[in-house]
Amino acid sequence: MKKRKFLLFAVLMLALSMFLAACGGGNDEGGTDTDTDEKATDDTPKFMSILTGGTGGTYYPLGGAFAKIVTDGTSIDTTAETTGASAENMQSLKDNKAEIAFTQTDIASYASEGKLMFEGNAVDNIQAIGTLYPETIQIVTTEKTGIKSVEDLKGKKVSIGAPGSGTAANAEQILEVHGITLDDIQKQDLSFDESVSGIQDGNIDAAFVTAGTPTAAVEQLSATETVVIVPVEADKADALIEKYPYYTKDEVPSGTYKLGAAVPTVAVQAMLVVKSDLSEQVVYDVTKSIFENLDQVTHAKAKQISAEKALNGVGIDVHPGAQKYFDEKGITAE
């Protein structure tokens, strides 16, 4: 009797073990499928944001065009967002608030190295897609202010750009090589649109605008006022470039804003950066979509953008996905 009970108990235990094993196997297999699904979701996001700048600058219209191109080319729903531009965009990527952003090359370098406005707060999760076009530093005023030189800005109400923008750093550095500090001007922290409104209303005298030319906000100003672009003369440009090598000499061409002659100034480069944790395939697709569909971008600045120049002056690491695209095209930095 005891033997029979023991055998019955053993059979029941064996059946229970097989049942539990089957359940465990099912859970393990289900867990593997879930992990795979999550991995696919992580590698290919359903939505992406491109951080741009103010509506009166160049980033915003270009960002809108790029967002449509990326959506069409990757099937990832991509939108452009207006922001305070370069420095704010770098912080937003660090805070995982977006995936792609416009910025200046100098600001991207400051962010990755933890310098200037990023001191003690380095952004370690960004990599480059590539550079786009020169971002011209335009010191904008009107004929009626009488301002003709950088030195004339002393004591005047001058907008140096939105808080957190790359324009503010450019303004401070340009003033510096002219022997002027922010204490020597009545500093205003305004977006491009706010700056233009301020000049039109007589509330400010001049504004720094770092953007591709022609810049929409300044074009609007030229419709009602005689615009003056204050020059950065060659000797001061040389001094600036010697101290801050990411600058290059540039000019605002004759005819822009109805100017009668070209005005010498300096520029940095606009660039696109991405979060470094985006997959190689996603960034490859984004890079290819943008550079192979520039004919769909109606903004005048698109004529200056090309894959062949995209690795020039990048200044930070290029994302492997973007690098794969450039390698396929045989493109290297000049």
Side-chain angles (χ1 to χ4, degrees):
M1 190 64 150
K2 288 183 180 180
K3 185 176 181 182
R4 187 178 301 169
K5 287 183 179 179
F6 175 81
L7 288 174
L8 180 59
F9 177 78
V11 169
L12 288 173
M13 290 301 295
L14 179 61
L16 180 60
S17 298
M18 291 176 66
F19 174 77
L20 291 174
C23 290
N27 285 341
D28 287 344
E29 185 176 352
T32 302
D33 287 345
T34 301
D35 290 344
T36 301
D37 291 343
E38 288 177 356
K39 185 176 188 298
T41 302
D42 290 342
D43 285 350
T44 308
K46 292 182 179 179
F47 305 99
M48 291 194 299
S49 292
I50 301 178
L51 303 179
T52 62
T55 56
T58 306
Y59 289 171
Y60 184 71
L62 282 179
F66 287 175
K68 184 180 185 305
I69 288 171
V70 171
T71 298
D72 292 344
T74 66
S75 297
I76 301 171
D77 189 7
T78 305
T79 58
E81 295 184 21
T82 181
T83 70
S86 295
E88 179 183 312
N89 291 353
M90 296 302 90
Q91 184 63 47
S92 292
L93 289 189
K94 179 175 182 176
D95 295 340
N96 297 310
K97 294 180 179 178
E99 292 73 32
I100 307 171
F102 283 77
T103 188
Q104 297 171 197
T105 48
D106 54 334
I107 300 304
S109 294
Y110 298 152
S112 62
E113 295 170 8
K115 293 182 178 178
L116 293 183
M117 69 283 286
F118 295 98
E119 186 172 355
N121 185 38
V123 180
D124 58 4
N125 67 332
I126 58 169
Q127 291 177 310
I129 285 181
T131 57
L132 301 172
Y133 57 86
E135 287 216 84
T136 307
I137 288 86
Q138 305 162 72
I139 307 173
V140 182
T141 186
T142 60
E143 189 176 56
K144 64 186 180 185
T145 67
I147 297 171
K148 297 179 180 179
S149 68
V150 175
E151 288 80 3
D152 290 341
L153 296 175
K154 286 184 178 180
K156 299 294 197 304
K157 293 180 180 178
V158 182
S159 170
I160 65 168
S165 70
T167 302
N170 301 144
E172 188 168 2
Q173 290 162 356
I174 289 171
L175 291 172
E176 175 192 342
V177 298
H178 287 83
I180 301 171
T181 70
L182 294 179
D183 292 334
D184 295 323
I185 63 172
Q186 297 182 56
K187 179 176 73 71
Q188 310 291 311
D189 303 298
L190 306 175
S191 70
F192 296 163
D193 288 328
E194 291 170 336
S195 295
V196 167
S197 296
I199 292 173
Q200 285 178 324
D201 297 340
N203 294 326
I204 65 170
D205 302 298
F208 282 80
V209 174
T210 301
T213 57
T215 307
V218 186
E219 281 192 309
Q220 292 171 15
L221 180 63
S222 71
T224 58
E225 302 281 351
T226 302
V227 167
V228 172
I229 302 297
V230 180
V232 178
E233 302 293 355
D235 60 330
K236 299 300 184 183
D238 289 337
L240 185 71
I241 292 166
E242 183 177 355
K243 186 165 186 179
Y244 305 105
Y246 37 76
Y247 284 100
T248 59
K249 289 183 178 179
D250 197 9
E251 67 175 25
V252 180
S254 173
T256 308
Y257 316 130
K258 303 176 185 177
L259 296 173
V263 179
T265 184
V266 291
V268 291
Q269 289 278 326
M271 70 186 300
L272 277 179
V273 299
V274 295
K275 285 176 56 185
S276 54
D277 62 359
L278 282 180
S279 75
E280 180 176 316
Q281 187 62 50
V282 167
V283 178
Y284 171 86
D285 291 341
V286 168
T287 306
K288 182 175 182 178
S289 296
I290 290 173
F291 285 106
E292 296 192 357
N293 291 282
L294 290 169
D295 59 332
Q296 297 181 27
V297 183
T298 59
H299 193 281
K301 221 59 188 171
K303 296 177 181 178
Q304 296 186 29
I305 303 172
S306 70
E308 288 70 25
K309 298 177 183 178
L311 293 178
N312 296 339
V314 168
I316 64 173
D317 291 340
V318 177
H319 191 285
Q323 189 65 56
K324 178 182 177 182
Y325 172 75
F326 296 125
D327 288 346
E328 285 181 358
K329 294 293 183 180
I331 296 170
T332 58
E334 294 178 0

